[in-house]
Amino acid sequence: MVQRDPIYDILFEPIKIGPLTAKNRFYQVPHCNGMGYLRPNTLAAMREIKAEGGWAVVCTEEVEIHPNSDNGSAAEGRLWDDGDIPALAKMTDAVHKHNALAGIELVHGGYSNANNYSRIPPIAPSTISVNSYDPVQARAMNKKDIRDFREWHRKAVSRAMQAEFDIVYVYAGHNLTLLMHFISRRLNHRTDEYGGSLENRVRLFREVLEDTKELVGNKCAVAVRFAVDEILGPKGITCEHEGREIIEMLAEIPDLWDVNISEWENDSATSRFEKEGYQEKYIGFVKSLTTKPVVGVGRITSPDTMVSMIKRGIVDMIGSARPSIADPFLPKKIEEGRIDEIRECIGCNICVAGDWLSVPIRCTQNATMGEEWRRGWHPEKIESKKSNDGILVVGGGPAGLECALMLGKRGYKVILAEKTEELGGRISNETKLPGLSEWSRVKDYRIRMLDKLDNVKIYLGSHLSTEDILEFSEESKFGFSHVFLATGSKWRKDGIARENREPIPGLGNLLVLTADDIFADVPVKGQVVIFDDEHYYMGGVLAEKLRIDGHEVSLVTPAPDISNWTHNTMEQRRIQKKLLQIGVKLYPQHNLNAVHNGSVELSCVFTNHKTHYDCDSLVLVTERVPNDEIYQNLQNSKSEFSKLKIKSFQPIGDCLAPGIIANAVHSGHLAAREFENVNAEEVPFLRERVKI
Ligand code: ADP
Ligand code: SF4
């Protein structure tokens, strides 16, 4: 084992949290995961991997304390009654196996829950429409409701103790919690002792905190999660005023302060908009007001930043959700002096999308995330090779890099051939777009890890044809008998996508470009129209780039708003705001009907009303076509295979089906795991079934 640099020793100093001791400074803060009460086995296995990876504290996601706080279709934790204890105990057992502490984030969502499942009218400090577009209003709580809520919280604390949690949260963050709603001047219009002055608005928070402390005694630690700034200016809580005063008022009551900013889209900002450590300027003051340990987040992935934050007195423990998802073994890698092996989070929020879509969490960087139980994948372990067969991987994008790396780790002799002079595929291009520089970590990590493997040979500048592949397979120098085709995809130039299932008429009348042309520096002239019928980031980010380059840019999309799918990555509002601020003209709810000389014809998606718009260059962000020519050729020459060495070939990543980068990485990983190891089950992974 390589010895770590003593500069990182501070990260491995134990720290007292109330009656308990955390073994080091790595704290996996609560994070949602699309598993929750619906998928307890999946959840326990995922949390166990974090504990195994060295996190001293591993927390749940938010755990609802009562049917009065029902998150509906979102799969969060539940502790409504004793029947929910065993599912959560599964997680604490798993975490304790690795000498880590288990924390539980108890929540009542107040007006953030429409209670669509329980159908109980939601509650809030004052009557108010719920924090979603559900046609539901929360009712104002009376004194009995306040007493009931305290009792539900107390019961949940007792149940959390029965499930053997070590740290119990009182949660007032993210504008998602009843306690924060009471604190808020915007939401609390009460005239009794729970409304008005800050002291009154904080009363319930203090009471619940004291209730919790009293109940847990010396058995558990009590953590507070509190958003010190809502990024709303004077309308909200700010770190200069009420956020600061609240910390002063309650400074020594909890055993630990886990502080952040609100709402969730600010707390979990993507790398396109915020860089590592972006919360420091808000939370930096907290440690000066309390002697209790302080945890803070901000997509902190660099061990040097971690050391600096502790040494400068910003935090005592490094809070992490996304960095622990991208690399559950981050602490172990630092501990063992393997810093170059850290798989750094790229800040894309595909993990967050899992929660919004209510499917198990997935991660662009870590293909095993969410697959720990159902496929039995471990982020650091993979089954050894089953034969001495050689393998060719064609294409060094995310799919090819991941596939070659995993096959290499299994011990196979691998050749990775890339047609350009650079590994990375689409990453090498996209990372140059405004705000996306951190995405290069997808290739950088894999290139670093491949460099360590003597059994993987990389050939750059090697544009292979089908004939080359058939020929080289026979040469003893190469000698491979299996081929993985990771040759990617290209953007369509005919406009076909969701709204137009036939080519858009008249495309020959104008300069028509795609993202591939922009990456290849094909000159863009004059007034630009971008037509986005893909709806993820590409349309919006190209508009930003071309506007920065000095073009007049209009963005047309049939969707209700710009880069619509980025609602799932919590970026949509920031993207639309940015484009408006830099002067991109936006035309949502419009289709591109036809193209004329010097103009485009748009139509309203509802009325079909047509408008014409001047245009010199049209950029199409529509579907992509797989680069599967070699795959098709190999299919057609299968009859000759008996004479050749090739035993199998398979497309992966975008060559199989164009999609997001996370899918390409997963596809490469899956192919490598399943190679000579095929799972013959009809459903190739375990499912959590409802017991009948
Ligand atoms: P994915 O997302 O599936 O990994 P990418 O488009 O990012 O796909 O990467 C595909 C990679 O394959 C690119 O780097 C491209 O240069 C390379 N490539 C495509 N065709 C060939 C080929 N015939 N021979 C070698 N490399 C190829
Ligand atoms: Fe980071 Fe993206 Fe993975 Fe989330 S999905 S942990 S943001 S790399």
Side-chain angles (χ1 to χ4, degrees), residues 435-495:
L436 301 189
S437 60
E438 277 183 37
W439 290 23
S440 75
R441 293 171 177 181
V442 173
K443 71 179 168 77
D444 298 343
Y445 161 74
R446 289 170 177 80
I447 294 170
R448 279 200 312 274
M449 297 304 287
L450 280 165
D451 261 359
K452 294 175 190 270
L453 297 174
D454 292 337
N455 51 329
V456 181
K457 296 270 172 288
I458 298 173
Y459 293 87
L460 297 177
S462 304
H463 189 177
L464 301 186
S465 63
T466 316
E467 294 69 40
D468 293 335
I469 293 173
L470 296 178
E471 204 177 298
F472 291 156
S473 69
E474 293 300 300
E475 285 186 28
S476 55
K477 179 179 161 206
F478 301 114
F480 51 84
S481 35
H482 304 273
V483 183
F484 289 92
L485 297 157
T487 44
S489 62
K490 59 180 109 25
W491 291 92
R492 290 189 86 116
K493 242 180 170 154
D494 55 8

Side-chain angles (χ1 to χ4, degrees), residues 394-399 417-420 425-426 462-464 486-488 630 653-654 664:
V394 186
E418 164 54 45
K419 85 172 169 190
T420 65
R426 60 187 288 190
S462 304
H463 189 177
L464 301 186
T487 44
I630 299 177
D654 291 331

Side-chain angles (χ1 to χ4, degrees), residues 629-681:
E629 199 188 316
I630 299 177
Y631 172 65
Q632 299 301 347
N633 290 341
L634 287 174
Q635 283 279 27
N636 294 336
S637 39
K638 250 181 165 171
S639 55
E640 296 169 40
F641 276 18
S642 51
K643 294 179 253 152
L644 299 164
K645 265 184 73 178
I646 294 188
K647 294 184 193 163
S648 76
F649 60 94
Q650 180 186 339
I652 56 174
D654 291 331
C655 171
L656 172 63
I660 59 174
I661 298 165
N663 287 5
V665 172
H666 188 272
S667 167
H669 192 99
L670 176 68
R673 291 245 182 202
E674 290 197 334
F675 178 63
E676 295 190 327
N677 215 2
V678 170
N679 184 342
E681 299 294 323

Side-chain angles (χ1 to χ4, degrees), residues 299 321-323 325-326 344-352 362-366:
R299 223 178 52 256
R322 290 172 292 175
I325 293 165
E344 283 180 291
C345 166
I346 68 165
C348 62
N349 277 6
I350 285 299
C351 48
V352 169
R362 46 205 174 149
C363 169
T364 302
Q365 276 285 57
N366 176 9

Side-chain angles (χ1 to χ4, degrees), residues 13 26 50-51 60 88 108-109 154 189 228 233 252 255 268 313 317 349 482 495 506 522-523 561 567 659 667:
E13 286 174 7
F26 294 93
K50 307 275 194 94
T60 61
L88 284 159
H108 191 297
R154 275 195 292 263
H189 303 127
V228 295
E252 298 300 315
D255 297 312
S268 291
M317 297 187 80
N349 277 6
H482 304 273
V522 174
D561 51 20
H567 280 285
S667 167

